[in-house]
Amino acid sequence: MDKLKQYPLILITVLATLLFLPFLGSVHLFDWDEVNFAECSREMLSSGNYLSLQMNYQAFWEKPPLFIWLSALSMKAFGVNEFAARFPNALCGILTLLFIFSIGRKVFSERMAWLWVLCYAGSTLPQFYFKSGIIDPWFNLFIFGSLYLFVLFTHQAGSNNNQSKLRYLFLSALLLALAVLTKGPVAIIILLLAVSIFTLIQRFKQVISIPQFILYTLVVAAVGGVWFLFLWISGQQNIITHFISYQVHLFQTEDAGHGGPFYYHAVVLLLGCFPASVFALRAFKPREVDTPFQQHVKLWFVILFWVVLILFSVVQTKIIHYSSLCYFPLTFLAAYTLNALLDGTMARKQWMAWLLVLCGSPLALALTVLPLVDKYKQQIIAGGWIGDDFTKGNLQAEVHWSGAEALIGVWMLLCLMYSIYLLRKTEIKKAIVVLFGGHLIGVQLTTLVIIPKVEHYSQAAAIEFYESLQGKDCYCEALNFKSYAQYFYTRKQPAKNPESYSADWLLWGPIDKPAYFVSKVTLHEENLRSYPHLKEINRKNGFVFYLREPEADPASSHGRR
């Protein structure tokens, strides 16, 4: 019997490996986040400094080090490249699907477990994130694992099995500590809010005793605080201070280019987690058909969903992956609805079909039309449809489209429409397979075929320029726009002259070797006024490339501006 239980886990491991691992390095890392974390990992290996993070070999205090350690270990094994930067999240994807399958089978049934896996892997953003090099997949897995173990602890609250309760409590604290080491104390805030709301719903019935709370706190502090302790001992208290200030800043202030309305994350989840998001809407209310344990688990997952959604809707900085922890409860609720539809304990609603069309058709139609944009881009630019010169420059990129790429969008649209037809005929099982299976394949094809072409428009010209400077004795910096790609793709090494880390010195100081600068075409006129000593050497696809030779002395020739 135990062997039979292992077969689904083995199958999921194989399928998830095939889903997440192939072609991880087929496209450049995207600025900012992917390149940010990859560069921190590369500099960790290059400098040999494994304690404090660096960016441009200067102290970087925005994130703790756990994910960077994982990424650096991956680069140690696979080399400094895109595959290595994304490999940790592919591994996280495999573990995530195994974990939610195990939860679904323990709490409900094996069918529910398979539905949850299908909802997670078959929705857009949840699948896509495991092909990225950002921190959030591991952060989310640690928090969700911590919360689930705490749920098991609270369910055991009335039992006499103290050993089992303490094991759940200890493991929950350990995973929460790992979440803190991955992205910061916001993990503690999320769990505390969830526990507070659960306590309120339970009319202030004691969830955890004082000794248990002390034990929990000690484990989180001991493991989650170990990095901060080492920083303090090594005399790097300033990094801790800057780290805390940065976390507060994100909550209170809109980060540059990352604002949005209060409902931003609600829209992101509705469209980005399609098709699971549509079915999840039916499952928020409690149902008497569930066992007390199932009701208990579901209540906690619903609380987690609302805590994350509301918390990051309040936060001024709006970034698409801030609400990605919602993927766990959202896909669970979707699987719950599908399971109930299959059981016949929940009726199909007409609005579900309309909402499936409303949320699913824009992506399918966009993918269908996308190849035509390149074909008619000159007419689009000449017609004045695009006002931004940088975007116009991006569109000038030479990208080969065969036209067959549109079939991906057609495929997704056909799967969507056929699944709705099957739903109306109450052929629920077939509808689920067609909708989620078809969307899974569509997202996979989009990642492999469409994303590399889109990357050629957005940043490839700059990346190719950086790569051309690898091994050359020169400086390179982005000019008047935020980027980390110049460090990663030039494979920048620690400098002998500390002043060279300053962009101001590279622009005006007595440089000892050529300094290259990359900027956007929209900034060119401003650059000419501010830095007349820079020589434009090329421009391509919205980017402008400049050179400053060592013999130039702008301070004496032009005066510093």
Side-chain angles (χ1 to χ4, degrees):
M1 189 67 180
D2 289 338
K3 288 185 177 180
L4 290 176
K5 286 187 175 182
Q6 300 304 317
Y7 290 149
L9 300 179
I10 295 171
L11 180 58
I12 289 171
T13 301
V14 172
L15 294 176
T17 300
L18 294 174
L19 181 63
F20 300 130
L21 273 181
F23 307 105
L24 272 183
S26 62
V27 62
H28 293 123
L29 298 172
F30 282 90
D31 241 352
W32 302 337
D33 285 347
E34 277 200 305
V35 181
N36 182 345
F37 306 135
E39 177 59 15
C40 284
S41 305
R42 189 193 70 84
E43 291 188 19
M44 184 174 282
L45 294 177
S46 177
S47 66
N49 181 0
Y50 294 90
L51 178 60
S52 55
L53 304 188
Q54 298 176 96
M55 176 58 63
N56 192 24
Y57 299 99
Q58 306 296 296
F60 183 76
W61 46 73
E62 294 183 11
K63 297 292 184 290
L66 183 54
F67 180 80
I68 308 304
W69 289 336
L70 292 174
S71 182
L73 183 63
S74 179
M75 289 183 183
K76 195 77 172 178
F78 302 112
V80 177
N81 53 54
E82 291 84 358
F83 177 89
R86 293 174 177 138
F87 176 77
N89 281 348
L91 180 61
C92 182
I94 297 170
L95 294 176
T96 295
L97 296 188
L98 290 171
F99 185 50
I100 64 176
F101 180 88
S102 299
I103 297 174
R105 183 165 62 179
K106 178 182 176 67
V107 179
F108 284 87
S109 65
E110 189 159 308
R111 185 180 71 183
M112 172 69 180
W114 278 112
L115 287 170
W116 194 357
V117 169
L118 184 59
C119 286
Y120 207 108
S123 296
T124 308
L125 289 179
Q127 180 193 150
F128 180 75
Y129 269 32
F130 294 129
K131 303 173 188 292
S132 74
I134 63 176
I135 282 179
D136 296 80
W138 280 101
F139 179 67
N140 296 338
L141 180 59
F142 287 140
I143 295 181
F144 185 70
S146 174
L147 178 120
Y148 174 67
L149 289 163
F150 194 82
V151 169
L152 295 182
F153 162 76
T154 57
H155 181 65
Q156 292 276 327
S159 74
N160 296 320
N161 191 344
N162 290 324
Q163 185 177 359
S164 177
K165 287 191 292 185
L166 286 177
R167 184 174 70 251
Y168 289 139
L169 193 68
F170 174 81
L171 292 175
S172 173
L174 179 61
L175 289 182
L176 183 62
L178 293 177
V180 171
L181 280 175
T182 303
K183 200 173 181 180
V186 67
I188 299 175
I189 295 173
I190 290 171
L191 190 65
L192 280 177
L193 287 173
V195 172
S196 300
I197 293 173
F198 179 80
T199 304
L200 182 63
I201 293 173
Q202 297 296 311
R203 299 182 180 180
F204 300 98
K205 180 181 177 181
Q206 189 178 52
V207 175
I208 183 171
S209 68
I210 293 177
Q212 290 168 341
F213 177 77
I214 293 174
L215 172 64
Y216 197 95
T217 303
L218 288 175
V219 173
V220 173
V223 179
V226 65
W227 176 65
F228 300 97
L229 177 63
F230 281 131
L231 285 176
W232 187 275
I233 293 173
S234 63
Q236 301 183 68
Q237 297 92 337
N238 63 311
I239 293 181
I240 302 174
T241 303
H242 286 302
F243 173 80
I244 295 172
S245 299
Y246 178 76
Q247 303 302 314
V248 174
H249 168 78
L250 287 179
F251 272 82
Q252 295 180 341
T253 310
E254 178 183 311
D255 197 19
H258 290 303
F262 181 82
Y263 55 82
Y264 172 88
H265 286 295
V267 175
V268 165
L269 292 173
L270 182 63
L271 299 180
C273 290
F274 177 86
S277 55
V278 175
F279 294 97
L281 294 173
R282 292 290 310 278
F284 281 93
K285 293 182 179 179
R287 300 174 74 234
E288 294 181 358
V289 295
D290 296 332
T291 67
F293 179 47
Q294 291 169 347
Q295 292 177 357
H296 181 73
V297 172
K298 184 185 172 188
L299 173 61
W300 273 101
F301 289 176
V302 169
I303 290 172
L304 177 65
F305 176 86
W306 288 116
V307 164
V308 175
L309 178 58
I310 294 173
L311 176 64
F312 290 106
S313 295
V314 171
V315 170
Q316 291 300 306
T317 301
K318 301 290 194 298
I319 300 177
I320 189 171
H321 48 260
Y322 274 16
S323 58
S324 57
L325 180 54
C326 285
Y327 300 168
F328 280 101
L330 187 147
T331 53
F332 164 80
L333 293 170
Y336 181 92
T337 297
L338 296 175
N339 196 47
L341 289 173
L342 288 170
D343 280 340
T345 59
M346 184 182 288
R348 177 183 59 83
K349 298 292 185 180
Q350 184 66 29
W351 61 262
M352 295 172 66
W354 289 108
L355 194 56
L356 283 171
V357 173
L358 183 64
C359 295
S361 55
L363 176 61
L365 292 173
L367 292 173
T368 304
V369 173
L370 195 57
L372 297 177
V373 174
D374 186 83
K375 184 177 180 179
Y376 296 103
K377 62 185 179 183
Q378 298 303 335
Q379 292 90 324
I380 293 173
I381 293 172
W385 293 11
I386 301 173
D388 181 66
D389 288 337
F390 180 64
T391 304
K392 291 178 184 177
N394 290 162
L395 277 179
Q396 298 296 340
E398 293 295 327
V399 182
H400 174 69
W401 294 83
S402 67
E405 299 86 0
L407 294 177
I408 299 173
V410 173
W411 162 264
M412 296 176 78
L413 193 60
L414 289 176
C415 288
L416 172 63
M417 295 306 177
Y418 185 48
S419 66
I420 292 173
Y421 168 76
L422 292 171
L423 277 174
R424 288 181 172 175
K425 292 187 64 179
T426 65
E427 296 185 36
I428 307 298
K429 184 180 290 187
K430 289 183 180 179
I432 292 170
V433 172
V434 171
L435 179 59
F436 285 91
H439 198 76
L440 184 153
I441 294 171
V443 173
Q444 179 79 335
L445 290 174
T446 300
T447 305
L448 298 179
V449 178
I450 304 295
I451 297 299
K453 296 181 185 297
V454 172
E455 192 264 342
H456 272 284
Y457 292 109
S458 64
Q459 63 172 25
I463 301 294
E464 290 167 1
F465 180 77
Y466 300 142
E467 289 178 325
S468 72
L469 299 179
Q470 286 182 20
K472 293 185 178 181
D473 191 20
C474 63
Y475 301 112
C476 183
E477 189 57 78
L479 185 60
N480 290 334
F481 76 103
K482 185 175 179 179
S483 175
Y484 303 111
Q486 67 272 19
Y487 309 131
F488 186 82
Y489 282 105
T490 61
R491 300 294 192 261
K492 183 173 183 177
Q493 298 301 308
K496 296 179 181 178
N497 181 0
E499 289 185 304
S500 67
Y501 293 120
S502 166
D504 192 60
W505 184 85
L506 293 176
L507 285 165
W508 299 101
I511 58 175
D512 54 340
K513 52 189 173 183
Y516 293 92
F517 298 90
V518 178
S519 191
K520 296 181 179 181
V521 68
T522 48
L523 301 169
H524 181 61
E525 294 302 322
E526 177 186 340
N527 293 336
L528 286 179
R529 291 192 299 270
S530 302
Y531 319 108
H533 56 291
L534 296 184
K535 176 185 177 183
E536 180 183 336
I537 57 174
N538 194 17
R539 61 174 62 195
K540 185 178 181 182
N541 304 340
F543 292 95
V544 185
F545 308 98
Y546 304 97
L547 170 64
R548 182 190 170 204
E549 296 284 2
E551 59 268 22
D553 186 2
S556 59
S557 301
H558 304 284
R560 183 165 178 166
R561 301 192 178 194

